[in-house]
């Protein structure tokens, strides 16, 4: 979102106006006023409002400061002001720089090399031109300022001896996620594949639906919302009692039984440092977890491959290729598997590397051997019906490199 901050000044009483919760316009006392008035203006008016502004807000202070910031201030106030301003800095300009540095503000319209007519903001009666109107922004949000489009506009007709000064500011808004009133509960639906669990779930939820069925049979005009709430409550309570919440896993082959083994190993982890017996129990539990995890992974991959074959035989190519896509996608960690000489599925990286090494060694060490008896075959003549024997072709094909 881009916002343009504009200011144009007529001769108004000295003061400070808060136009927005984080943007303020002001008119500083002129050079004819005393130093006490200047200090009261900065301390009692401007500074108090800035101190009361929340730190998270974008603070923009703009107006007629009646102060001159010159090129000579670049050395001592580098980062607060730029080199594209007046020639010399006056006392009021130094006071403005002190205020800007104290509040971590940057004078935005002094950083871009605009031509002189786009830098001057005030034309004095004697015909000279000066820059006394400034737009100050918090250093934290300075990167949102479009410096090239922050300048004065001498062509604007505003009936004033001041020029229109404008700053383009691009606000980067953060996407805020809406807070949900309730958190969705994921139940362990895999347990329903067990027939015994399915019967228990059906019996319990049927008992909770009985009052609704009786109420409907009586012909009572019950509220629809009551039915819905009772239905949702019955399903949620029964699923929580029978199924329980589903534990999230990063790997699809991790089953609840594996999670239980991992929990047991985690409980034994502290005892392995206490005694040799505790260390031995932890070691045995760790072996069971690793062995079970490897077997579960192999079984899962085998099931997926069988599922692909079943779908291809049933001409359900969409489902088959979807399983292949899921297997090779990044969300599954791209499991790489090959078969060894005996047809066993290899899943470990070390075993796969050794199998590829073995395969390459057998492939490139193959030596073709031919029978010497074939060399003694008599030359074919024009009277031969079959100049090349069938046995020769078959033997040659067998001896070719695979």
């Amino acid at each position: 979102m881009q916002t343009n901050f504009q200011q144009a000044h007529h001769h108004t009483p000295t003061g400070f106006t808060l136009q927005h919760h984080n943007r303020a316009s002001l008119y500083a006392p002129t050079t004819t006023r005393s130093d006490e008035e200047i200090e009261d203006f900065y301390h009692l008016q401007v500074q108090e409002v800035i101190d009361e502004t929340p730190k998270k807000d974008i603070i923009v202070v703009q107006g007629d400061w009646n102060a001159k910031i010159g090129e000579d201030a670049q050395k001592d106030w580098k980062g607060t002001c730029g080199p594209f301003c007046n020639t010399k800095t006056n006392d009021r300009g130094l006071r403005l720089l002190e205020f800007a540095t104290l509040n971590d503000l940057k004078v935005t319209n002094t950083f871009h090399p605009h031509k002189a007519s786009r830098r001057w903001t005030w034309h004095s009666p004697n015909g000279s031109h000066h820059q006394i109107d400034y737009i100050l922004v918090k250093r934290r949000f300075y990167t949102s300022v479009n410096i090239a489009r922050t300048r004065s506009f001498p062509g604007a007709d505003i009936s004033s001896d001041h020029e229109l000064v404008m700053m383009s500011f691009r606000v980067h808004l953060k996407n805020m996620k809406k807070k949900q009133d309730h958190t969705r509960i994921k139940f362990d639906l895999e347990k329903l594949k067990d027939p015994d669990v399915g019967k228990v779930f059906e019996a319990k939820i049927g008992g909770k639906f009985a009052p609704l069925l009786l109420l409907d049979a009586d012909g009572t005009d019950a509220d629809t919302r009551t039915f819905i709430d009772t239905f949702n409550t019955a399903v949620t309570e029964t699923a929580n009692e029978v199924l329980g919440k589903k534990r999230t896993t990063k790997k699809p082959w991790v089953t609840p039984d594996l999670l239980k083994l991992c929990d047991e190993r985690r409980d034994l982890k502290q005892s392995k440092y206490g005694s040799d017996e505790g260390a031995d129990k932890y070691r045995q539990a760790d072996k069971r977890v690793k062995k079970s995890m490897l077997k579960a992974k192999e079984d899962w991959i085998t099931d997926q491959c069988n599922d692909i074959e079943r779908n291809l035989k049933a001409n359900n190519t969409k489902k088959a290729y979807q399983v292949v896509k899921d297997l090779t996608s990044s969300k599954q960690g791209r499991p790489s598997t090959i078969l060894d000489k005996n047809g066993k599925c290899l899943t470990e990286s070390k075993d796969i590397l050794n199998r590829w090494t073995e395969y390459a060694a057998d492939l490139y060490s193959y030596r073709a051997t031919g029978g010497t008896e074939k060399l003694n075959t008599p030359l074919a003549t024009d009277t031969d019906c079959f100049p090349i024997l069938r046995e020769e072709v078959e033997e040659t094909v067998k001896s070719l490199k695979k």
Side-chain angles (χ1 to χ4, degrees):
M1 183 181 71
Q2 182 168 320
T3 305
N4 292 328
F5 294 97
Q6 302 177 4
Q7 62 178 27
H9 294 282
H10 302 270
H11 290 292
T12 57
T14 301
F16 181 83
T17 304
L18 188 65
Q19 296 183 349
H20 200 267
H21 74 283
N22 59 359
R23 180 167 63 92
S25 295
L26 52 83
Y27 178 60
T30 61
T31 54
T32 58
R33 302 295 183 91
S34 63
D35 294 338
E36 289 76 10
E37 292 185 63
I38 291 292
E39 293 302 322
D40 291 342
F41 169 75
Y42 278 101
H43 282 291
L44 301 181
Q45 297 187 50
V46 186
Q47 192 61 51
E48 286 186 359
V49 176
I50 291 181
D51 292 341
E52 295 174 357
T53 305
K55 300 297 182 183
K56 64 180 181 179
D57 286 3
I58 303 174
I59 298 179
V60 179
V61 188
Q62 60 186 17
D64 181 4
W65 297 87
N66 281 312
K68 294 182 183 179
I69 298 176
E71 300 172 356
D72 53 344
Q74 174 67 13
K75 181 179 179 181
D76 298 330
W77 306 89
K78 188 175 182 180
T80 302
C81 66
F84 307 104
C85 43
N86 300 286
T87 304
K88 292 184 179 181
T89 306
N90 59 8
D91 294 339
R92 301 295 170 84
L94 293 175
R95 184 63 184 87
L96 174 59
L97 290 172
E98 291 176 0
F99 165 78
T101 305
L102 177 64
N103 294 281
D104 201 25
L105 299 170
K106 293 175 73 73
V107 186
T108 59
N109 54 324
T110 61
F111 284 94
H112 195 274
H114 292 294
K115 59 183 180 180
S117 61
R118 296 183 178 180
R119 296 202 303 264
W120 311 137
T121 63
W122 177 63
H123 307 282
S124 66
N126 60 10
S128 60
H129 312 286
H130 307 278
Q131 185 187 55
I132 61 174
D133 303 283
Y134 301 102
I135 301 178
L136 281 63
V137 177
K138 271 284 187 181
R139 187 184 303 271
R140 174 186 174 188
F141 304 101
Y142 178 71
T143 54
S144 300
V145 178
N146 189 342
I147 299 299
R149 299 184 62 181
T150 302
R151 63 181 182 88
S152 62
F153 289 80
D157 185 11
I158 56 177
S159 301
S160 173
D161 53 357
H162 288 262
E163 300 290 2
L164 176 68
V165 183
M166 184 174 71
M167 177 190 71
S168 293
F169 191 91
R170 185 178 295 274
V171 182
H172 302 281
L173 300 178
K174 181 179 180 181
N175 293 328
M176 301 297 293
K177 295 183 179 180
K178 294 182 178 179
K179 294 183 178 180
Q180 298 182 355
D181 297 337
H182 61 280
T183 304
R184 182 180 178 183
I185 302 175
K186 294 184 179 181
F187 298 102
D188 191 2
L189 301 180
E190 293 294 327
K191 291 183 178 180
L192 291 176
K193 294 181 179 180
D194 187 351
D196 296 334
V197 177
K199 291 180 180 178
V200 173
F201 182 84
E202 184 178 357
K204 287 195 173 185
I205 201 171
K208 293 185 178 182
F209 282 167
L212 285 178
L213 297 176
L214 293 175
L215 186 63
D216 186 48
D218 294 339
T220 307
D221 295 333
D223 187 10
T224 305
R225 188 65 187 177
T226 304
F227 279 99
I228 296 176
D229 294 341
T230 307
F231 177 84
N232 293 337
T233 303
V235 173
T236 304
E237 291 179 353
T238 306
N240 194 25
E241 294 174 6
V242 180
L243 305 179
K245 296 180 180 179
K246 182 180 179 180
R247 294 183 62 177
T248 57
T249 57
K250 295 182 179 180
K251 303 298 181 182
W253 53 82
V254 178
T255 60
D257 295 335
L258 283 175
L259 293 176
K260 291 181 180 178
L261 291 177
C262 293
D263 292 338
E264 294 176 1
R265 183 181 62 175
R266 188 181 300 109
D267 295 337
L268 295 173
K269 187 175 182 180
Q270 298 297 331
S271 62
K272 73 175 182 176
Y273 302 106
S275 61
D276 295 338
E277 183 181 358
D280 184 64
K281 289 183 179 180
Y282 177 80
R283 194 180 304 110
Q284 296 298 328
D286 185 58
K287 288 182 180 180
R288 287 196 300 270
V289 170
K290 291 181 179 179
K291 185 177 180 180
S292 301
M293 191 72 70
L294 180 60
K295 185 178 184 303
K297 183 177 180 181
E298 292 178 354
D299 294 342
W300 179 80
I301 294 176
T302 302
D303 292 340
Q304 296 297 310
C305 295
N306 294 335
D307 190 19
I308 295 173
E309 293 181 359
R310 286 194 300 268
N311 286 289
L312 289 176
K313 289 180 180 179
N315 202 23
N316 189 1
T317 56
K318 182 178 180 181
K319 177 62 176 177
Y321 286 116
Q322 182 62 44
V323 176
V324 174
K325 183 178 179 181
D326 294 339
L327 281 174
T328 56
S329 63
S330 58
K331 65 180 181 179
Q332 302 293 358
R334 297 185 182 275
S336 177
T337 59
I338 60 175
L339 301 177
D340 61 2
K341 288 184 176 181
N342 301 323
K344 182 181 178 182
C345 184
L346 302 178
T347 57
E348 295 296 329
S349 300
K350 184 178 179 180
D351 297 336
I352 293 174
L353 181 61
N354 293 335
R355 175 58 186 143
W356 276 112
T357 305
E358 181 184 14
Y359 172 78
D362 294 341
L363 178 65
Y364 292 105
S365 64
Y366 180 80
R367 293 291 181 270
T369 57
T372 56
E373 65 277 2
K374 301 302 179 182
L375 300 177
N376 299 326
T377 304
L379 297 175
T381 62
D382 295 339
T383 59
D384 294 335
C385 297
F386 300 97
I388 301 176
L389 299 179
R390 181 182 180 87
E391 292 80 6
E392 291 180 335
V393 177
E394 292 178 352
E395 193 66 27
T396 303
V397 170
K398 292 179 180 179
S399 63
L400 290 175
K401 185 177 180 180
K402 294 182 180 180

